PDB file of all heavy atoms in Angstrom:
ATOM      1  N   VAL M1191      57.621 -43.199-125.841  1.00 97.00           N
ATOM      2  CA  VAL M1191      59.073 -43.518-126.246  1.00 97.00           C
ATOM      3  C   VAL M1191      59.887 -42.318-125.909  1.00 97.00           C
ATOM      4  O   VAL M1191      59.562 -41.223-126.340  1.00 97.00           O
ATOM      5  CB  VAL M1191      59.012 -43.672-127.835  1.00 97.00           C
ATOM      6  CG1 VAL M1191      60.430 -44.113-128.261  1.00 97.00           C
ATOM      7  CG2 VAL M1191      57.984 -44.565-128.340  1.00 97.00           C
ATOM      8  N   VAL M1192      60.842 -42.651-125.073  1.00 98.00           N
ATOM      9  CA  VAL M1192      61.847 -41.482-124.683  1.00 98.00           C
ATOM     10  C   VAL M1192      63.199 -41.885-125.097  1.00 98.00           C
ATOM     11  O   VAL M1192      63.752 -42.937-124.943  1.00 98.00           O
ATOM     12  CB  VAL M1192      61.864 -41.455-123.050  1.00 98.00           C
ATOM     13  CG1 VAL M1192      62.730 -40.284-122.553  1.00 98.00           C
ATOM     14  CG2 VAL M1192      60.408 -41.345-122.447  1.00 98.00           C
ATOM     15  N   THR M1193      63.813 -40.835-125.766  1.00 97.00           N
ATOM     16  CA  THR M1193      65.194 -41.069-126.321  1.00 97.00           C
ATOM     17  C   THR M1193      66.063 -40.324-125.436  1.00 97.00           C
ATOM     18  O   THR M1193      65.785 -39.122-124.975  1.00 97.00           O
ATOM     19  CB  THR M1193      65.281 -40.565-127.779  1.00 97.00           C
ATOM     20  OG1 THR M1193      64.246 -41.021-128.512  1.00 97.00           O
ATOM     21  CG2 THR M1193      66.566 -40.932-128.404  1.00 97.00           C
ATOM     22  N   ILE M1194      67.200 -40.975-125.055  1.00 98.00           N
ATOM     23  CA  ILE M1194      68.193 -40.469-124.087  1.00 98.00           C
ATOM     24  C   ILE M1194      69.578 -40.557-124.771  1.00 98.00           C
ATOM     25  O   ILE M1194      70.017 -41.614-125.249  1.00 98.00           O
ATOM     26  CB  ILE M1194      68.126 -41.336-122.816  1.00 98.00           C
ATOM     27  CG1 ILE M1194      66.706 -41.243-122.221  1.00 98.00           C
ATOM     28  CG2 ILE M1194      69.183 -40.875-121.853  1.00 98.00           C
ATOM     29  CD1 ILE M1194      66.314 -42.413-121.435  1.00 98.00           C
ATOM     30  N   VAL M1195      70.262 -39.487-124.726  1.00 97.00           N
ATOM     31  CA  VAL M1195      71.640 -39.486-125.117  1.00 97.00           C
ATOM     32  C   VAL M1195      72.572 -38.779-123.991  1.00 97.00           C
ATOM     33  O   VAL M1195      72.111 -37.679-123.591  1.00 97.00           O
ATOM     34  CB  VAL M1195      71.830 -38.585-126.484  1.00 97.00           C
ATOM     35  CG1 VAL M1195      73.261 -38.660-126.893  1.00 97.00           C
ATOM     36  CG2 VAL M1195      70.921 -39.228-127.661  1.00 97.00           C
ATOM     37  N   ASP M1196      73.491 -39.435-123.619  1.00 96.00           N
ATOM     38  CA  ASP M1196      74.432 -38.807-122.673  1.00 96.00           C
ATOM     39  C   ASP M1196      73.642 -38.562-121.305  1.00 96.00           C
ATOM     40  O   ASP M1196      74.002 -37.422-120.796  1.00 96.00           O
ATOM     41  CB  ASP M1196      75.088 -37.599-123.235  1.00 96.00           C
ATOM     42  CG  ASP M1196      76.474 -37.820-123.507  1.00 96.00           C
ATOM     43  OD1 ASP M1196      77.031 -38.991-123.240  1.00 96.00           O
ATOM     44  OD2 ASP M1196      77.124 -37.018-124.171  1.00 96.00           O
ATOM     45  N   GLY M1197      72.785 -39.300-120.974  1.00 97.00           N
ATOM     46  CA  GLY M1197      72.120 -39.127-119.702  1.00 97.00           C
ATOM     47  C   GLY M1197      70.996 -37.972-119.766  1.00 97.00           C
ATOM     48  O   GLY M1197      70.327 -37.628-118.810  1.00 97.00           O
ATOM     49  N   VAL M1198      70.736 -37.384-120.959  1.00 98.00           N
ATOM     50  CA  VAL M1198      69.813 -36.324-121.096  1.00 98.00           C
ATOM     51  C   VAL M1198      68.735 -36.689-122.037  1.00 98.00           C
ATOM     52  O   VAL M1198      68.995 -37.446-123.057  1.00 98.00           O
ATOM     53  CB  VAL M1198      70.531 -35.015-121.616  1.00 98.00           C
ATOM     54  CG1 VAL M1198      69.481 -33.882-121.852  1.00 98.00           C
ATOM     55  CG2 VAL M1198      71.619 -34.556-120.606  1.00 98.00           C
ATOM     56  N   ILE M1199      67.498 -36.388-121.834  1.00 98.00           N
ATOM     57  CA  ILE M1199      66.394 -36.632-122.731  1.00 98.00           C
ATOM     58  C   ILE M1199      66.336 -35.852-123.932  1.00 98.00           C
ATOM     59  O   ILE M1199      66.474 -34.635-123.886  1.00 98.00           O
ATOM     60  CB  ILE M1199      65.012 -36.492-121.913  1.00 98.00           C
ATOM     61  CG1 ILE M1199      65.036 -37.443-120.753  1.00 98.00           C
ATOM     62  CG2 ILE M1199      63.839 -36.691-122.846  1.00 98.00           C
ATOM     63  CD1 ILE M1199      63.814 -37.142-119.754  1.00 98.00           C
ATOM     64  N   THR M1200      66.475 -36.393-125.106  1.00 97.00           N
ATOM     65  CA  THR M1200      66.645 -35.618-126.274  1.00 97.00           C
ATOM     66  C   THR M1200      65.302 -35.763-127.105  1.00 97.00           C
ATOM     67  O   THR M1200      65.132 -34.970-128.062  1.00 97.00           O
ATOM     68  CB  THR M1200      67.732 -36.178-127.144  1.00 97.00           C
ATOM     69  OG1 THR M1200      67.508 -37.610-127.448  1.00 97.00           O
ATOM     70  CG2 THR M1200      69.179 -35.996-126.570  1.00 97.00           C
ATOM     71  N   ALA M1201      64.396 -36.695-126.866  1.00 96.00           N
ATOM     72  CA  ALA M1201      63.094 -36.694-127.560  1.00 96.00           C
ATOM     73  C   ALA M1201      62.110 -37.472-126.656  1.00 96.00           C
ATOM     74  O   ALA M1201      62.470 -38.364-125.957  1.00 96.00           O
ATOM     75  CB  ALA M1201      63.200 -37.420-128.909  1.00 96.00           C
ATOM     76  N   VAL M1202      60.848 -37.036-126.734  1.00 97.00           N
ATOM     77  CA  VAL M1202      59.679 -37.693-126.026  1.00 97.00           C
ATOM     78  C   VAL M1202      58.528 -37.827-127.126  1.00 97.00           C
ATOM     79  O   VAL M1202      58.177 -36.825-127.606  1.00 97.00           O
ATOM     80  CB  VAL M1202      59.226 -36.943-124.871  1.00 97.00           C
ATOM     81  CG1 VAL M1202      58.215 -37.713-124.078  1.00 97.00           C
ATOM     82  CG2 VAL M1202      60.381 -36.610-123.881  1.00 97.00           C
ATOM     83  N   GLY M1203      58.192 -39.055-127.343  1.00 95.00           N
ATOM     84  CA  GLY M1203      57.098 -39.138-128.299  1.00 95.00           C
ATOM     85  C   GLY M1203      56.249 -40.381-127.827  1.00 95.00           C
ATOM     86  O   GLY M1203      56.324 -40.819-126.656  1.00 95.00           O
ATOM     87  N   SER M1204      55.421 -40.836-128.770  1.00 93.00           N
ATOM     88  CA  SER M1204      54.586 -42.023-128.367  1.00 93.00           C
ATOM     89  C   SER M1204      54.187 -42.755-129.648  1.00 93.00           C
ATOM     90  O   SER M1204      54.314 -42.171-130.790  1.00 93.00           O
ATOM     91  CB  SER M1204      53.229 -41.563-127.733  1.00 93.00           C
ATOM     92  OG  SER M1204      52.507 -40.865-128.499  1.00 93.00           O
TER      93      SER M1204
END
Side-chain angles (χ1 to χ4, degrees):
V1191 185
V1192 184
T1193 311
I1194 297 149
V1195 180
D1196 253 352
V1198 175
I1199 298 171
T1200 56
V1202 184
S1204 66

